[in-house]
Amino acid sequence: MRHVYEIRGPQQPELPLVLDSPHSGNRFPADFDAVVSETELREAEDCFVDELWGAAGALGAPLLAAQFPRTYLDPNRHAGDIDAELIDGPWHGEIVASGKARIGKSLIWRTLEDGRPIYARRLRPEEVRLRIERFHAPYHGALRTLLDAAHRRFGAVWHINCHSMRAVAGRQSDDGEGRPRADIVLGDRDGTTCDPGFTEFVRATLAGMGYNVKVNDPYKGVELVRAYSNPRGGRHSLQIELNKRLYMDEATLERTSGFRELQANLGKFLEALAARLR
């Protein structure tokens, strides 16, 4: 499964904490068949996010990192979030629409951020089914296994869903094109996916490091925090978005001098979190 995901750190959680980075992959499958370049497709990538959170493993928390690009298939969508405009023929499987199909960003992306089409054709239903079977299902299965193992061992589990965001909202962004974003955005779907005290601990710890931290503005969290959270059952999921301006050049997709500082600060944050969870 190394072409689908990697687990960094222990295969079994040593504390009740699991991280996942669903959008940091850039191993392009041979059957992608996009008509835009890999560089253009990587604009959607959460570049280096798996590396930024790399301290997790040494603390005993596994980090699940997707290896495939989100434009090929987005694991942060329900498997039934099907874009009918992209499929050549009827879809006989489950449909669970998120509304993202209107901008071409449901399970399989149809357009880039600027609205340009990714494909010169529609995808056959069997192509879509194969992507779900070979990439979506294994990734979700691996995350579910890690979360269940931690919950079984400790009676509770905290899940951090790791992302990055553009410094300024793009053309298709819900928060309005050209709007500058905070340094860090936490998403708990308006307090429904984890204990509010946990969200506040994360906010206060990161803000104490000098970061401008917002909660649920503009990102509230999507499928991966929705699907695996149940605070009453001891399952807490929180999405964390890091502003790309903190650590990389969005034009060249290269790390900047801020990368090491952010990585070190996230390591300190994880140490504080591990101490709290222990």
Side-chain angles (χ1 to χ4, degrees), residues 3 27-35 38 41 68-69 71-73 108 118-119 121-124 126-132 134-135:
H3 67 291
R27 295 183 183 177
F28 285 79
D31 65 349
F32 201 142
D33 200 25
V35 294
E38 289 187 4
L41 291 166
F68 56 94
T71 42
Y72 179 78
L73 178 140
I108 296 176
I118 290 174
Y119 301 95
R121 64 179 179 87
R122 292 188 171 191
L123 302 183
R124 299 184 304 278
E126 55 267 31
E127 291 180 90
V128 175
R129 279 195 292 271
L130 281 174
R131 292 191 189 190
I132 294 170
R134 293 174 178 174
F135 293 86

Side-chain angles (χ1 to χ4, degrees), residues 219-241:
Y219 296 112
K220 298 176 184 290
V222 194
E223 180 63 16
L224 286 163
V225 295
R226 184 208 65 80
Y228 301 112
S229 61
N230 177 12
R232 289 188 177 182
R235 296 175 180 267
H236 307 271
S237 290
L238 180 69
Q239 177 177 287
I240 301 183
E241 295 267 1

